């Protein structure tokens, strides 16, 4: 079972408000397990709590990920238009030197 599925199930039970932000369908979300990193796309339908979490660099998500798996996760936030343009996140970040 993938880490993100484990995290989604655990978060739904333990921190439902954080679950709503990331898995409630109000933001665009990508998780890359190999490196690990997340990319979140802002949308006009996200709420105030989501905006605060994303402005803070996804700090609650990162803390929960570290709690569950003992590893840090990097995050990147962008608008939904840019998010939808990317087909391969590893190619998007690594050739540009953003995450190494």
């Amino acid at each position: 079972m993938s880490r993100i599925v484990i995290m989604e199930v655990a978060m739904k039970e333990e921190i439902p408000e954080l679950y709503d932000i990331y898995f409630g369908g109000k933001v665009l979300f990508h998780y890359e397990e190999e490196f690990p990193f997340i990319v979140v796309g802002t949308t006009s339908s996200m709420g105030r709590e989501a905006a605060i979490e994303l402005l803070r660099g996804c700090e609650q998500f990162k803390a929960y990920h570290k709690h569950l798996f003992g590893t840090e996760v990097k995050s990147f936030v962008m608008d939904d238009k840019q998010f939808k343009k990317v087909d391969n996140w590893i190619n998007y970040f690594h050739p540009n030197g953003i995450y190494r």
Side-chain angles (χ1 to χ4, degrees):
M1 186 180 300
S2 74
R3 284 184 178 181
I4 198 63
V5 172
I6 293 167
M7 188 166 191
E8 181 178 0
V9 171
M11 192 182 286
K12 186 173 186 177
E13 293 296 316
E14 294 180 7
I15 314 172
E17 56 279 353
L18 195 59
Y19 169 86
D20 288 341
I21 291 171
Y22 289 100
F23 301 106
K26 301 213 175 164
V27 298
L28 301 173
F29 181 79
H30 174 79
Y31 177 79
E32 190 64 47
E33 192 165 330
E34 184 179 349
F35 290 108
F37 66 86
I38 62 170
V39 183
V40 182
T42 62
T43 65
S44 59
S45 64
M46 69 182 193
R48 180 179 180 207
E49 294 80 16
I52 292 168
E53 168 70 0
L54 300 185
L55 282 171
R56 291 182 175 163
C58 308
E59 71 181 3
Q60 292 181 68
F61 185 96
K62 290 177 178 180
Y64 196 64
H65 189 279
K66 177 108 175 156
H67 167 74
L68 283 179
F69 307 117
T71 58
E72 299 206 8
V73 63
K74 295 183 180 188
S75 66
F76 192 81
V77 178
M78 62 177 55
D79 68 60
D80 59 338
K81 291 175 185 78
Q82 183 66 25
F83 186 99
K84 291 175 183 175
K85 290 180 184 178
V86 179
D87 292 327
N88 184 314
W89 290 106
I90 294 173
N91 288 343
Y92 178 81
F93 285 114
H94 284 275
N96 296 321
I98 295 172
Y99 292 126
R100 291 207 179 262

